[in-house]
Amino acid sequence: MTGRLPVLLAGLARRLPPDRLADLLHRLDEVEGPDSPLLDRWSSDHPAAGLAVELSALRQAWREERPLLPGAALALSLASATAAGSAVAPPAELVVSGPTSPAIPVRLTSAIATDVIRSARTSLLIASFAAYDIHEIVGELRGAAARDVRIDLLLEESTSAARAFGPLRKHVRVWHRADRGNRTALHAKVIAADRHTALLGSANLTGRGLERNIEIGVILNDSPTVGRLVDHLRWLTGPEGLLRQV
């Protein structure tokens, strides 16, 4: 098999956790071709950030390069790519706020932040130096709380960032620096969903930061890397960490 299709299959094999990969393999076994509505249903059932874009690209390459290939054959190729394994982590996806350019394909920070929050099934870890004018984000977090997602907000106290999340106070845990007198600041900007996806960048959780300022970030889809990031943030909220719950 040549063309883009093998590359896209290998990318999905690296990215998907075992349970989602198994579900996709089962779905592919059931379809005859790339236009099956069963694939649309699978995509809506697995709303990880950027995953719908990857699946759409795969289906397009399938139509263009191997339109007569049945889904079962594609499932076999995907399973083979998974079994072969790869030491190369999936590339980070670039994200921007403000103007875009034709230099590289990018996605807007505001849309990605929403996608990452929606992809969480068990936990969300969110860190920001400043936060305000984020009604859409607050609404998404309210939806995550309704799904029983555990939400931890690591916020800088000096900017009064916690005020932006006032309507969610009963559904989130807020963390500030334990030592108010030191000269450190909580300056990280992170949205981590479970242990599979994380958005990192220069943008604060503000209306300007997510949409209008010139900001640059990346999405990490590599579960081991995201897991280590989550472990570090959890350590910061632990007994030996630098944050206290308020």
Side-chain angles (χ1 to χ4, degrees):
M1 189 183 296
T2 60
R4 292 186 303 131
L5 199 51
V7 176
L8 294 168
L9 285 170
L12 280 174
R14 288 194 301 265
R15 172 179 181 170
L16 291 174
D19 58 335
R20 294 192 182 193
L21 182 60
D23 195 34
L24 179 56
L25 290 171
H26 175 70
R27 188 65 67 201
L28 285 170
D29 271 329
E30 296 180 325
V31 306
E32 291 298 323
D35 296 314
S36 172
L38 290 176
L39 294 176
D40 296 320
R41 191 179 309 164
W42 186 90
S43 183
S44 64
D45 289 342
H46 298 82
L51 185 54
V53 175
E54 290 187 39
L55 185 61
S56 178
L58 176 70
R59 295 171 75 179
Q60 184 62 32
W62 189 359
R63 291 186 198 99
E64 295 174 354
E65 299 174 9
R66 293 289 189 275
L68 300 181
L69 194 70
L74 207 66
L76 180 60
S77 297
L78 179 56
S80 297
T82 304
S86 174
V88 180
E93 184 178 354
L94 292 173
V95 185
V96 300
S97 300
T100 60
S101 78
I104 47 176
V106 293
R107 300 180 66 198
L108 295 177
T109 308
S110 54
I112 286 295
T114 296
D115 282 354
V116 174
I117 292 171
R118 288 178 180 174
S119 75
R121 288 294 173 265
T122 60
S123 67
L124 278 165
L125 271 169
I126 298 177
S128 190
F129 177 74
Y132 57 83
D133 189 23
I134 49 169
H135 305 294
E136 184 176 356
I137 294 294
V138 170
E140 293 294 340
L141 291 177
R142 185 178 289 111
R147 301 193 303 271
D148 293 325
V149 173
R150 171 186 172 183
I151 304 171
D152 288 279
L153 304 175
L154 285 54
L155 305 171
E156 173 57 33
E157 186 175 12
S158 67
T159 64
S160 300
R163 291 181 183 176
F165 304 94
L168 301 172
R169 197 63 184 90
K170 295 181 180 180
H171 305 291
V172 301
R173 301 194 304 177
V174 176
W175 302 82
H176 288 158
R177 286 179 291 119
D179 184 359
R180 302 181 188 182
N182 64 30
R183 296 184 179 182
T184 63
L186 198 161
H187 207 250
K189 293 93 174 179
V190 179
I191 302 177
D194 304 330
R195 300 175 68 86
H196 58 70
T197 308
L199 169 61
L200 314 178
S202 60
N204 282 301
L205 282 179
T206 68
R208 294 184 62 86
L210 295 176
E211 297 182 3
R212 297 186 294 278
N213 290 347
I214 297 176
E215 309 276 3
I216 297 177
V218 295
I219 308 171
L220 297 179
N221 297 313
D222 177 43
S223 295
T225 302
V226 174
R228 289 195 297 271
L229 171 63
V230 168
D231 288 342
H232 174 68
L233 295 176
R234 292 284 181 210
W235 178 85
L236 288 174
T237 65
E240 299 179 12
L242 303 177
L243 303 179
R244 59 182 174 87
Q245 188 176 353
V246 297

